[in-house]
Amino acid sequence: MWNGPELRRSHAIKRRTPRVLVVLAHFDETRNPRGRPNFIPQGVGHAFLAGAFDRDRVDVRLYSEFHSGPLLDEAILGWPDMLVLTGVTSAFDRMKQLTAYTRTLNPRCVVVAGGPAVRNLPAFSAACFDYPCHGDVEELVAIAKEVFGEHAGAESLEPRFDLLNWGGPVNYVESSRYCNFRCSFCALTGEGRSYRAYDLDAIERQIRSQTSRKIVLFVDNNFYGNNRSLFHQKLDLLSALKREGVIPGWIALVTSDFFADLANLDRARRAGCLGLFSGIESLNADQIKVYNKKQNLIQPQVEMISACLEAGIVFQYGLIFDPATQTLDAMEAELSAILNCPAIPLPAFLSLTIPLLGTPHFRTCVEEQRFLPHAKLRDMDGFTLMTKTVDDLGDVMPFVRNLERLGGRNQSVVRHSLGFYKTYRRALSTRQMAASLGNAARLCWPQIIHDRHRLMPYRDETLTRVTTTQPLGPLYRPNLPVADRYRDHFLPTMVTDGTGTLHPHMITNMASSQPSVKIAEAATAR
Ligand code: B12
Ligand code: SF4
């Protein structure tokens, strides 16, 4: 599929080694201009995409805006013959901006983009990028061949971890894609792709190809998956690699059904598992039902977490809050319950429930007219309110602003940490305990992860955290020269209009990505 107007450009490129720049585009929700090199996990999509090109015949470079901050270097932006873009939903506008810079500096540059927003907004994407991709990373191999010639595509796609320039205590590996559950708020549910596991050889190759020996972090949505035999084989592989000294241990994200079989904890521990992350989302069973997260109702959550820690495995989790359906009292009560329960650790991350494009939650927000006016795609970051609230907005906002820091209840955090330490000091190693308590410290002092140089956290005081009034921030004003034809790449992608109704262009776009008559009906009925 070729959408670009300048078909002749590929001939010139073929004369020398093609240059490809793969960028993980990102908008930081705090408008932090410095990136977050210390944050775990980092995105690795760009390293996987780089693997689509022949190692010897294509010069590939990587840049992660999440890790290193906004890419504003003309020398880098003007360098490639092909710009490949990836990123989460909220990064769509950033992809458009990077396209504008690169095309201004080098009008012959071919732009390829993929990821959830590109798939959900096919019409916008077709207008902005030469190759808007709807598939997985492998789709890029065919594009590499089409643009640069057969020789440019990799014979088999192996991620280029060797091109990553970061330090940090973990190596990233992917053993599966997508998920076998269908939670109502999840971007993966919106896209309906089936769970897919890599074969054991591919997992082993990823692990062995890492350039240094570190703990392996599986970035899978669901490391446990729906194939027990394969899961056991993965554990056998990891045990063997640990015995051989290839990895010191590993960490993974599992769904709650993993904990239903207590023997899994013992198996995983023996195979070198040091920590597990699971999406708890809420301790309130009714809210879990709203999220259609049935797997979290299999067993009592506190007992499940406790069993994991007693087995000598660090447990980390995330919580999400939906002020459009939860009262302020209910949300505050949930935080208090956790702070008063030393049997479970404090959450590793807290955010708002995001109405991500195409999800059942998105459709409900449209149908029930929950969206705020002038809602913007870039604000789908989990920290900016996109919807109306049950309680008065003015009352809810202090909760939203302090959510990432557990309401700013530092004294309770310290008290909880002492209780947690006493409960699990025998079950966890010093390193594991430090990781658990380090997380509590991060909740009190988020600057630990936000900034590697200074002790002051980066905070843009103009942020309202409400999409209607949230300032766009400096990246929407071009920092480099931009050709007139790309000026509109700096306009925000609007989700709703001034009345909170789904924007007509959203309806057109999303109807072509996944026919959803209901969205159109709800939006036009008003
Ligand atoms: C690391 C990570 C992050 C990192 C980096 C994100 C990034 N840009 O990659 C950080 C910490 C920034 C992050 C933040 C958030 N994340 Co996150 N994150 C992940 C995680 C664990 C791994 C991402 C990864 O590297 N995957 C491996 C690569 C190879 O796959 P991929 O990026 O998913 O891409 C696949 C396809 O989309 C496609 N593809 C993608 N790009 C392209 C480009 C081309 C050209 C082609 C051909 C194909 C293609 O190919 C891949 C499959 O082969 C995923 C879970 C997961 N396993 O994917 C969640 C995930 C991406 N995050 C998610 C969420 C919800 C968030 C937050 C909104 C959380 C929150 N606050 O509530 C925030 C957003 C913050 C913001 N400012 O907007 C969701 C989806 C988000 C979305 N659609 O917008 C996921 C899927 C988790 C989940 N199951 O809910 N996240
Ligand atoms: S279990 Fe996690 S990845 Fe799977 S659908 Fe639910 S939220 Fe998404």
Side-chain angles (χ1 to χ4, degrees), residues 24 26-27 29 42 44 66 86 88-90 114-116 119 135-137 177 187 219 221 351 354 381:
L24 191 150
H26 189 72
F27 279 130
E29 62 273 3
Q42 293 283 328
V44 285
F66 179 66
T86 181
V88 287
T89 301
S90 63
R119 293 191 292 264
D136 289 0
V137 289
R177 290 180 191 167
V219 291
N221 296 285
S351 91
I354 316 168
D381 55 22

PDB file of all heavy atoms in Angstrom, residues 24 26-27 29 42 44 66 86 88-90 114-116 119 135-137 177 187 219 221 351 354 381, ligand 1:
ATOM      1  N   LEU A  24      10.219   5.674  18.861  1.00  0.00           N
ATOM      2  CA  LEU A  24       9.104   5.428  19.765  1.00  0.00           C
ATOM      3  C   LEU A  24       8.623   6.820  20.182  1.00  0.00           C
ATOM      4  O   LEU A  24       9.265   7.510  20.974  1.00  0.00           O
ATOM      5  CB  LEU A  24       9.582   4.617  20.969  1.00  0.00           C
ATOM      6  CG  LEU A  24       8.510   4.050  21.894  1.00  0.00           C
ATOM      7  CD1 LEU A  24       9.021   2.765  22.524  1.00  0.00           C
ATOM      8  CD2 LEU A  24       8.111   5.009  22.972  1.00  0.00           C
ATOM      9  N   HIS A  26       6.383   9.739  21.829  1.00  0.00           N
ATOM     10  CA  HIS A  26       5.745   9.778  23.154  1.00  0.00           C
ATOM     11  C   HIS A  26       5.501  11.207  23.619  1.00  0.00           C
ATOM     12  O   HIS A  26       6.338  12.085  23.416  1.00  0.00           O
ATOM     13  CB  HIS A  26       6.652   9.070  24.169  1.00  0.00           C
ATOM     14  CG  HIS A  26       6.001   8.863  25.491  1.00  0.00           C
ATOM     15  ND1 HIS A  26       4.997   7.946  25.683  1.00  0.00           N
ATOM     16  CD2 HIS A  26       6.189   9.460  26.693  1.00  0.00           C
ATOM     17  CE1 HIS A  26       4.604   7.973  26.942  1.00  0.00           C
ATOM     18  NE2 HIS A  26       5.307   8.896  27.575  1.00  0.00           N
ATOM     19  N   PHE A  27       4.350  11.420  24.246  1.00  0.00           N
ATOM     20  CA  PHE A  27       4.065  12.660  24.967  1.00  0.00           C
ATOM     21  C   PHE A  27       4.102  12.335  26.447  1.00  0.00           C
ATOM     22  O   PHE A  27       3.337  11.470  26.905  1.00  0.00           O
ATOM     23  CB  PHE A  27       2.648  13.148  24.678  1.00  0.00           C
ATOM     24  CG  PHE A  27       2.474  13.886  23.397  1.00  0.00           C
ATOM     25  CD1 PHE A  27       1.468  13.525  22.522  1.00  0.00           C
ATOM     26  CD2 PHE A  27       3.279  14.963  23.074  1.00  0.00           C
ATOM     27  CE1 PHE A  27       1.252  14.215  21.344  1.00  0.00           C
ATOM     28  CE2 PHE A  27       3.079  15.663  21.890  1.00  0.00           C
ATOM     29  CZ  PHE A  27       2.067  15.279  21.020  1.00  0.00           C
ATOM     30  N   GLU A  29       3.061  12.898  30.148  1.00  0.00           N
ATOM     31  CA  GLU A  29       1.871  13.534  30.713  1.00  0.00           C
ATOM     32  C   GLU A  29       2.203  14.719  31.615  1.00  0.00           C
ATOM     33  O   GLU A  29       1.347  15.556  31.885  1.00  0.00           O
ATOM     34  CB  GLU A  29       0.989  12.516  31.449  1.00  0.00           C
ATOM     35  CG  GLU A  29       1.617  11.838  32.625  1.00  0.00           C
ATOM     36  CD  GLU A  29       2.410  10.581  32.255  1.00  0.00           C
ATOM     37  OE1 GLU A  29       2.515  10.271  31.060  1.00  0.00           O
ATOM     38  OE2 GLU A  29       2.924   9.933  33.177  1.00  0.00           O
ATOM     39  N   GLN A  42      10.409   0.143  30.050  1.00  0.00           N
ATOM     40  CA  GLN A  42      10.568   0.971  28.861  1.00  0.00           C
ATOM     41  C   GLN A  42       9.835   0.267  27.711  1.00  0.00           C
ATOM     42  O   GLN A  42       9.690  -0.953  27.724  1.00  0.00           O
ATOM     43  CB  GLN A  42      12.055   1.089  28.506  1.00  0.00           C
ATOM     44  CG  GLN A  42      12.889   1.854  29.510  1.00  0.00           C
ATOM     45  CD  GLN A  42      12.702   3.366  29.416  1.00  0.00           C
ATOM     46  OE1 GLN A  42      12.460   3.906  28.337  1.00  0.00           O
ATOM     47  NE2 GLN A  42      12.811   4.058  30.546  1.00  0.00           N
ATOM     48  N   VAL A  44       9.679  -1.247  23.989  1.00  0.00           N
ATOM     49  CA  VAL A  44      10.720  -1.853  23.148  1.00  0.00           C
ATOM     50  C   VAL A  44      10.243  -2.072  21.708  1.00  0.00           C
ATOM     51  O   VAL A  44      10.919  -2.744  20.930  1.00  0.00           O
ATOM     52  CB  VAL A  44      11.236  -3.185  23.749  1.00  0.00           C
ATOM     53  CG1 VAL A  44      12.142  -2.922  24.922  1.00  0.00           C
ATOM     54  CG2 VAL A  44      10.084  -4.109  24.135  1.00  0.00           C
ATOM     55  N   PHE A  66      10.264   8.313  25.019  1.00  0.00           N
ATOM     56  CA  PHE A  66       9.942   8.043  26.427  1.00  0.00           C
ATOM     57  C   PHE A  66      11.238   7.996  27.238  1.00  0.00           C
ATOM     58  O   PHE A  66      11.327   8.584  28.314  1.00  0.00           O
ATOM     59  CB  PHE A  66       9.178   6.723  26.567  1.00  0.00           C
ATOM     60  CG  PHE A  66       8.857   6.401  27.991  1.00  0.00           C
ATOM     61  CD1 PHE A  66       7.978   7.185  28.717  1.00  0.00           C
ATOM     62  CD2 PHE A  66       9.464   5.329  28.644  1.00  0.00           C
ATOM     63  CE1 PHE A  66       7.701   6.916  30.051  1.00  0.00           C
ATOM     64  CE2 PHE A  66       9.189   5.054  29.971  1.00  0.00           C
ATOM     65  CZ  PHE A  66       8.305   5.849  30.677  1.00  0.00           C
ATOM     66  N   THR A  86       6.298   4.323  16.088  1.00  0.00           N
ATOM     67  CA  THR A  86       5.440   3.511  16.944  1.00  0.00           C
ATOM     68  C   THR A  86       5.099   4.332  18.181  1.00  0.00           C
ATOM     69  O   THR A  86       5.722   5.353  18.443  1.00  0.00           O
ATOM     70  CB  THR A  86       6.139   2.180  17.338  1.00  0.00           C
ATOM     71  OG1 THR A  86       5.240   1.410  18.147  1.00  0.00           O
ATOM     72  CG2 THR A  86       7.420   2.404  18.130  1.00  0.00           C
ATOM     73  N   VAL A  88       2.030   4.604  21.888  1.00  0.00           N
ATOM     74  CA  VAL A  88       0.695   4.311  22.426  1.00  0.00           C
ATOM     75  C   VAL A  88      -0.331   5.276  21.810  1.00  0.00           C
ATOM     76  O   VAL A  88       0.034   6.210  21.086  1.00  0.00           O
ATOM     77  CB  VAL A  88       0.660   4.399  23.985  1.00  0.00           C
ATOM     78  CG1 VAL A  88       1.378   3.223  24.615  1.00  0.00           C
ATOM     79  CG2 VAL A  88       1.223   5.711  24.479  1.00  0.00           C
ATOM     80  N   THR A  89      -1.608   5.069  22.125  1.00  0.00           N
ATOM     81  CA  THR A  89      -2.686   5.858  21.520  1.00  0.00           C
ATOM     82  C   THR A  89      -2.450   7.365  21.642  1.00  0.00           C
ATOM     83  O   THR A  89      -2.599   8.112  20.686  1.00  0.00           O
ATOM     84  CB  THR A  89      -4.028   5.487  22.198  1.00  0.00           C
ATOM     85  OG1 THR A  89      -4.248   4.094  22.003  1.00  0.00           O
ATOM     86  CG2 THR A  89      -5.181   6.275  21.624  1.00  0.00           C
ATOM     87  N   SER A  90      -2.053   7.792  22.843  1.00  0.00           N
ATOM     88  CA  SER A  90      -1.916   9.238  23.080  1.00  0.00           C
ATOM     89  C   SER A  90      -0.790   9.853  22.261  1.00  0.00           C
ATOM     90  O   SER A  90      -0.687  11.074  22.170  1.00  0.00           O
ATOM     91  CB  SER A  90      -1.673   9.499  24.568  1.00  0.00           C
ATOM     92  OG  SER A  90      -0.457   8.891  24.954  1.00  0.00           O
ATOM     93  N   GLY A 114       2.714   2.741  12.861  1.00  0.00           N
ATOM     94  CA  GLY A 114       1.819   1.678  13.316  1.00  0.00           C
ATOM     95  C   GLY A 114       1.517   1.838  14.798  1.00  0.00           C
ATOM     96  O   GLY A 114       1.897   2.819  15.430  1.00  0.00           O
ATOM     97  N   GLY A 115       0.808   0.864  15.342  1.00  0.00           N
ATOM     98  CA  GLY A 115       0.418   0.944  16.748  1.00  0.00           C
ATOM     99  C   GLY A 115      -1.078   1.170  16.864  1.00  0.00           C
ATOM    100  O   GLY A 115      -1.780   1.323  15.848  1.00  0.00           O
ATOM    101  N   PRO A 116      -1.613   1.201  18.084  1.00  0.00           N
ATOM    102  CA  PRO A 116      -3.065   1.231  18.283  1.00  0.00           C
ATOM    103  C   PRO A 116      -3.784   2.422  17.676  1.00  0.00           C
ATOM    104  O   PRO A 116      -4.858   2.270  17.097  1.00  0.00           O
ATOM    105  CB  PRO A 116      -3.218   1.210  19.808  1.00  0.00           C
ATOM    106  CG  PRO A 116      -1.879   1.526  20.379  1.00  0.00           C
ATOM    107  CD  PRO A 116      -0.867   1.131  19.350  1.00  0.00           C
ATOM    108  N   ARG A 119      -4.084   2.103  13.903  1.00  0.00           N
ATOM    109  CA  ARG A 119      -5.080   1.089  13.514  1.00  0.00           C
ATOM    110  C   ARG A 119      -6.503   1.584  13.739  1.00  0.00           C
ATOM    111  O   ARG A 119      -7.416   1.252  12.997  1.00  0.00           O
ATOM    112  CB  ARG A 119      -4.834  -0.207  14.300  1.00  0.00           C
ATOM    113  CG  ARG A 119      -3.522  -0.884  13.911  1.00  0.00           C
ATOM    114  CD  ARG A 119      -3.424  -2.269  14.500  1.00  0.00           C
ATOM    115  NE  ARG A 119      -3.295  -2.271  15.936  1.00  0.00           N
ATOM    116  CZ  ARG A 119      -2.136  -2.358  16.596  1.00  0.00           C
ATOM    117  NH1 ARG A 119      -1.006  -2.447  15.925  1.00  0.00           N
ATOM    118  NH2 ARG A 119      -2.106  -2.372  17.900  1.00  0.00           N
ATOM    119  N   GLY A 135      -0.910  -4.105  10.918  1.00  0.00           N
ATOM    120  CA  GLY A 135      -0.507  -5.411  11.425  1.00  0.00           C
ATOM    121  C   GLY A 135       0.573  -5.327  12.486  1.00  0.00           C
ATOM    122  O   GLY A 135       0.819  -4.268  13.070  1.00  0.00           O
ATOM    123  N   ASP A 136       1.220  -6.464  12.700  1.00  0.00           N
ATOM    124  CA  ASP A 136       2.302  -6.561  13.675  1.00  0.00           C
ATOM    125  C   ASP A 136       3.623  -6.122  13.040  1.00  0.00           C
ATOM    126  O   ASP A 136       3.665  -5.768  11.868  1.00  0.00           O
ATOM    127  CB  ASP A 136       2.406  -8.017  14.158  1.00  0.00           C
ATOM    128  CG  ASP A 136       1.229  -8.386  15.054  1.00  0.00           C
ATOM    129  OD1 ASP A 136       0.368  -7.523  15.284  1.00  0.00           O
ATOM    130  OD2 ASP A 136       1.179  -9.539  15.521  1.00  0.00           O
ATOM    131  N   VAL A 137       4.684  -6.202  13.843  1.00  0.00           N
ATOM    132  CA  VAL A 137       5.986  -5.704  13.378  1.00  0.00           C
ATOM    133  C   VAL A 137       6.423  -6.357  12.056  1.00  0.00           C
ATOM    134  O   VAL A 137       7.096  -5.735  11.243  1.00  0.00           O
ATOM    135  CB  VAL A 137       7.082  -5.891  14.456  1.00  0.00           C
ATOM    136  CG1 VAL A 137       6.868  -4.937  15.608  1.00  0.00           C
ATOM    137  CG2 VAL A 137       7.149  -7.313  14.970  1.00  0.00           C
ATOM    138  N   ARG A 177       2.088 -12.185  22.527  1.00  0.00           N
ATOM    139  CA  ARG A 177       1.452 -10.916  22.149  1.00  0.00           C
ATOM    140  C   ARG A 177      -0.031 -10.969  22.489  1.00  0.00           C
ATOM    141  O   ARG A 177      -0.651 -12.026  22.440  1.00  0.00           O
ATOM    142  CB  ARG A 177       1.561 -10.693  20.640  1.00  0.00           C
ATOM    143  CG  ARG A 177       2.970 -10.392  20.209  1.00  0.00           C
ATOM    144  CD  ARG A 177       3.026 -10.166  18.709  1.00  0.00           C
ATOM    145  NE  ARG A 177       4.412 -10.148  18.288  1.00  0.00           N
ATOM    146  CZ  ARG A 177       4.802 -10.225  17.036  1.00  0.00           C
ATOM    147  NH1 ARG A 177       3.898 -10.314  16.075  1.00  0.00           N
ATOM    148  NH2 ARG A 177       6.071 -10.204  16.727  1.00  0.00           N
ATOM    149  N   ALA A 187      -7.165  -1.667  25.583  1.00  0.00           N
ATOM    150  CA  ALA A 187      -6.951  -1.403  24.157  1.00  0.00           C
ATOM    151  C   ALA A 187      -6.949  -2.707  23.361  1.00  0.00           C
ATOM    152  O   ALA A 187      -7.386  -2.744  22.211  1.00  0.00           O
ATOM    153  CB  ALA A 187      -5.622  -0.680  23.967  1.00  0.00           C
ATOM    154  N   VAL A 219       7.780  -8.305  28.754  1.00  0.00           N
ATOM    155  CA  VAL A 219       6.819  -7.209  28.579  1.00  0.00           C
ATOM    156  C   VAL A 219       5.443  -7.700  28.141  1.00  0.00           C
ATOM    157  O   VAL A 219       4.546  -6.902  27.890  1.00  0.00           O
ATOM    158  CB  VAL A 219       7.298  -6.140  27.561  1.00  0.00           C
ATOM    159  CG1 VAL A 219       8.470  -5.348  28.087  1.00  0.00           C
ATOM    160  CG2 VAL A 219       7.598  -6.758  26.213  1.00  0.00           C
ATOM    161  N   ASN A 221       1.656  -8.890  27.833  1.00  0.00           N
ATOM    162  CA  ASN A 221       0.450  -8.534  28.581  1.00  0.00           C
ATOM    163  C   ASN A 221       0.061  -9.660  29.515  1.00  0.00           C
ATOM    164  O   ASN A 221      -0.534  -9.445  30.563  1.00  0.00           O
ATOM    165  CB  ASN A 221      -0.704  -8.279  27.617  1.00  0.00           C
ATOM    166  CG  ASN A 221      -0.438  -7.088  26.734  1.00  0.00           C
ATOM    167  OD1 ASN A 221      -0.526  -5.964  27.196  1.00  0.00           O
ATOM    168  ND2 ASN A 221      -0.084  -7.329  25.484  1.00  0.00           N
ATOM    169  N   SER A 351      -3.753   4.999  38.122  1.00  0.00           N
ATOM    170  CA  SER A 351      -4.137   5.918  37.053  1.00  0.00           C
ATOM    171  C   SER A 351      -5.661   5.936  36.906  1.00  0.00           C
ATOM    172  O   SER A 351      -6.376   5.167  37.555  1.00  0.00           O
ATOM    173  CB  SER A 351      -3.458   5.521  35.736  1.00  0.00           C
ATOM    174  OG  SER A 351      -4.257   4.652  34.989  1.00  0.00           O
ATOM    175  N   ILE A 354      -9.000   4.788  31.304  1.00  0.00           N
ATOM    176  CA  ILE A 354      -8.990   5.596  30.072  1.00  0.00           C
ATOM    177  C   ILE A 354      -9.986   5.039  29.050  1.00  0.00           C
ATOM    178  O   ILE A 354      -9.963   3.842  28.763  1.00  0.00           O
ATOM    179  CB  ILE A 354      -7.598   5.565  29.395  1.00  0.00           C
ATOM    180  CG1 ILE A 354      -6.490   5.729  30.427  1.00  0.00           C
ATOM    181  CG2 ILE A 354      -7.479   6.607  28.300  1.00  0.00           C
ATOM    182  CD1 ILE A 354      -5.115   5.429  29.889  1.00  0.00           C
ATOM    183  N   ASP A 381      -3.918   9.593  28.554  1.00  0.00           N
ATOM    184  CA  ASP A 381      -2.664   9.149  29.163  1.00  0.00           C
ATOM    185  C   ASP A 381      -2.863   8.550  30.554  1.00  0.00           C
ATOM    186  O   ASP A 381      -1.909   8.139  31.211  1.00  0.00           O
ATOM    187  CB  ASP A 381      -1.663  10.308  29.224  1.00  0.00           C
ATOM    188  CG  ASP A 381      -2.235  11.537  29.936  1.00  0.00           C
ATOM    189  OD1 ASP A 381      -3.192  11.389  30.728  1.00  0.00           O
ATOM    190  OD2 ASP A 381      -1.725  12.651  29.697  1.00  0.00           O
TER     191      ASP A 381
HETATM  192  C1  B12 B   1       6.382  -0.548  28.024  1.00  0.00           C
HETATM  193  C2  B12 B   1       4.951  -0.089  28.062  1.00  0.00           C
HETATM  194  C3  B12 B   1       4.707   1.252  28.298  1.00  0.00           C
HETATM  195  C4  B12 B   1       5.811   2.283  28.299  1.00  0.00           C
HETATM  196  C5  B12 B   1       6.199   2.620  26.843  1.00  0.00           C
HETATM  197  C6  B12 B   1       5.022   2.634  25.891  1.00  0.00           C
HETATM  198  C7  B12 B   1       5.366   2.589  24.413  1.00  0.00           C
HETATM  199  N1  B12 B   1       5.266   3.667  23.748  1.00  0.00           N
HETATM  200  O1  B12 B   1       5.744   1.581  23.865  1.00  0.00           O
HETATM  201  C8  B12 B   1       5.156   3.457  29.076  1.00  0.00           C
HETATM  202  C9  B12 B   1       5.594   3.385  30.519  1.00  0.00           C
HETATM  203  C10 B12 B   1       5.390   4.851  28.532  1.00  0.00           C
HETATM  204  C11 B12 B   1       3.687   3.091  28.985  1.00  0.00           C
HETATM  205  C12 B12 B   1       2.712   3.981  29.351  1.00  0.00           C
HETATM  206  C13 B12 B   1       1.379   3.705  29.283  1.00  0.00           C
HETATM  207  N2  B12 B   1       0.828   2.539  28.878  1.00  0.00           N
HETATM  208 CO1  B12 B   1       1.831   1.055  28.372  1.00  0.00          CO
HETATM  209  N3  B12 B   1       2.655  -0.635  27.954  1.00  0.00           N
HETATM  210  C14 B12 B   1       3.888  -0.986  27.848  1.00  0.00           C
HETATM  211  C15 B12 B   1       3.968  -2.497  27.554  1.00  0.00           C
HETATM  212  C16 B12 B   1       4.163  -3.229  28.874  1.00  0.00           C
HETATM  213  C17 B12 B   1       5.023  -2.946  26.563  1.00  0.00           C
HETATM  214  C18 B12 B   1       5.050  -2.165  25.240  1.00  0.00           C
HETATM  215  C19 B12 B   1       5.995  -2.843  24.301  1.00  0.00           C
HETATM  216  O2  B12 B   1       7.138  -2.421  24.171  1.00  0.00           O
HETATM  217  N4  B12 B   1       5.530  -3.926  23.647  1.00  0.00           N
HETATM  218  C20 B12 B   1       6.318  -4.708  22.717  1.00  0.00           C
HETATM  219  C21 B12 B   1       6.141  -4.184  21.286  1.00  0.00           C
HETATM  220  C22 B12 B   1       6.950  -5.047  20.330  1.00  0.00           C
HETATM  221  O3  B12 B   1       4.789  -4.319  20.915  1.00  0.00           O
HETATM  222  P1  B12 B   1       3.728  -3.128  20.813  1.00  0.00           P
HETATM  223  O4  B12 B   1       4.355  -1.824  21.143  1.00  0.00           O
HETATM  224  O5  B12 B   1       2.522  -3.536  21.573  1.00  0.00           O
HETATM  225  O6  B12 B   1       3.363  -3.116  19.237  1.00  0.00           O
HETATM  226  C23 B12 B   1       2.649  -4.171  18.644  1.00  0.00           C
HETATM  227  C24 B12 B   1       1.623  -3.637  17.665  1.00  0.00           C
HETATM  228  O7  B12 B   1       0.964  -2.485  18.162  1.00  0.00           O
HETATM  229  C25 B12 B   1       2.395  -3.408  16.398  1.00  0.00           C
HETATM  230  N5  B12 B   1       3.036  -2.119  16.192  1.00  0.00           N
HETATM  231  C26 B12 B   1       3.269  -1.114  17.029  1.00  0.00           C
HETATM  232  N6  B12 B   1       3.878  -0.101  16.410  1.00  0.00           N
HETATM  233  C27 B12 B   1       4.055  -0.459  15.143  1.00  0.00           C
HETATM  234  C28 B12 B   1       4.638   0.225  14.083  1.00  0.00           C
HETATM  235  C29 B12 B   1       4.687  -0.411  12.829  1.00  0.00           C
HETATM  236  C30 B12 B   1       5.304   0.318  11.682  1.00  0.00           C
HETATM  237  C31 B12 B   1       4.184  -1.725  12.650  1.00  0.00           C
HETATM  238  C32 B12 B   1       4.281  -2.409  11.357  1.00  0.00           C
HETATM  239  C33 B12 B   1       3.599  -2.397  13.748  1.00  0.00           C
HETATM  240  C34 B12 B   1       3.534  -1.751  14.965  1.00  0.00           C
HETATM  241  O8  B12 B   1       3.438  -4.368  16.430  1.00  0.00           O
HETATM  242  C35 B12 B   1       3.583  -4.936  17.742  1.00  0.00           C
HETATM  243  C36 B12 B   1       3.241  -6.418  17.678  1.00  0.00           C
HETATM  244  O9  B12 B   1       4.148  -7.080  16.860  1.00  0.00           O
HETATM  245  C37 B12 B   1       2.540  -2.735  26.948  1.00  0.00           C
HETATM  246  C38 B12 B   1       2.041  -4.147  27.087  1.00  0.00           C
HETATM  247  C39 B12 B   1       2.509  -4.962  25.891  1.00  0.00           C
HETATM  248  N7  B12 B   1       2.946  -6.134  26.126  1.00  0.00           N
HETATM  249  O10 B12 B   1       2.503  -4.519  24.760  1.00  0.00           O
HETATM  250  C40 B12 B   1       1.692  -1.679  27.648  1.00  0.00           C
HETATM  251  C41 B12 B   1       0.568  -1.013  26.871  1.00  0.00           C
HETATM  252  C42 B12 B   1       1.071  -0.612  25.494  1.00  0.00           C
HETATM  253  N8  B12 B   1       0.311   0.259  27.655  1.00  0.00           N
HETATM  254  C43 B12 B   1      -0.884   0.514  27.772  1.00  0.00           C
HETATM  255  C44 B12 B   1      -1.376   1.587  28.569  1.00  0.00           C
HETATM  256  C45 B12 B   1      -2.848   1.597  28.886  1.00  0.00           C
HETATM  257  C46 B12 B   1      -0.514   2.573  29.013  1.00  0.00           C
HETATM  258  C47 B12 B   1      -0.897   3.849  29.757  1.00  0.00           C
HETATM  259  C48 B12 B   1      -2.059   4.576  29.149  1.00  0.00           C
HETATM  260  C49 B12 B   1      -1.099   3.425  31.202  1.00  0.00           C
HETATM  261  C50 B12 B   1      -1.820   4.373  32.092  1.00  0.00           C
HETATM  262  N9  B12 B   1      -1.271   5.463  32.479  1.00  0.00           N
HETATM  263  O11 B12 B   1      -2.906   4.062  32.467  1.00  0.00           O
HETATM  264  C51 B12 B   1       0.374   4.713  29.671  1.00  0.00           C
HETATM  265  C52 B12 B   1       0.309   5.864  28.629  1.00  0.00           C
HETATM  266  C53 B12 B   1       1.060   7.068  29.139  1.00  0.00           C
HETATM  267  C54 B12 B   1       1.010   8.247  28.192  1.00  0.00           C
HETATM  268  N10 B12 B   1       1.778   9.271  28.470  1.00  0.00           N
HETATM  269  O12 B12 B   1       0.259   8.289  27.255  1.00  0.00           O
HETATM  270  C55 B12 B   1      -1.779  -0.442  26.996  1.00  0.00           C
HETATM  271  C56 B12 B   1      -2.262   0.083  25.660  1.00  0.00           C
HETATM  272  C57 B12 B   1      -2.138   1.573  25.528  1.00  0.00           C
HETATM  273  C58 B12 B   1      -2.687   2.233  24.346  1.00  0.00           C
HETATM  274  N11 B12 B   1      -3.234   1.584  23.349  1.00  0.00           N
HETATM  275  O13 B12 B   1      -2.628   3.441  24.312  1.00  0.00           O
HETATM  276  C59 B12 B   1      -0.846  -1.690  26.882  1.00  0.00           C
HETATM  277  C60 B12 B   1      -1.089  -2.565  25.646  1.00  0.00           C
HETATM  278  C61 B12 B   1      -1.057  -2.490  28.183  1.00  0.00           C
HETATM  279  C62 B12 B   1      -2.449  -3.037  28.318  1.00  0.00           C
HETATM  280  N12 B12 B   1      -2.655  -4.296  28.034  1.00  0.00           N
HETATM  281  O14 B12 B   1      -3.365  -2.317  28.680  1.00  0.00           O
HETATM  282  N13 B12 B   1       3.513   1.814  28.568  1.00  0.00           N
END
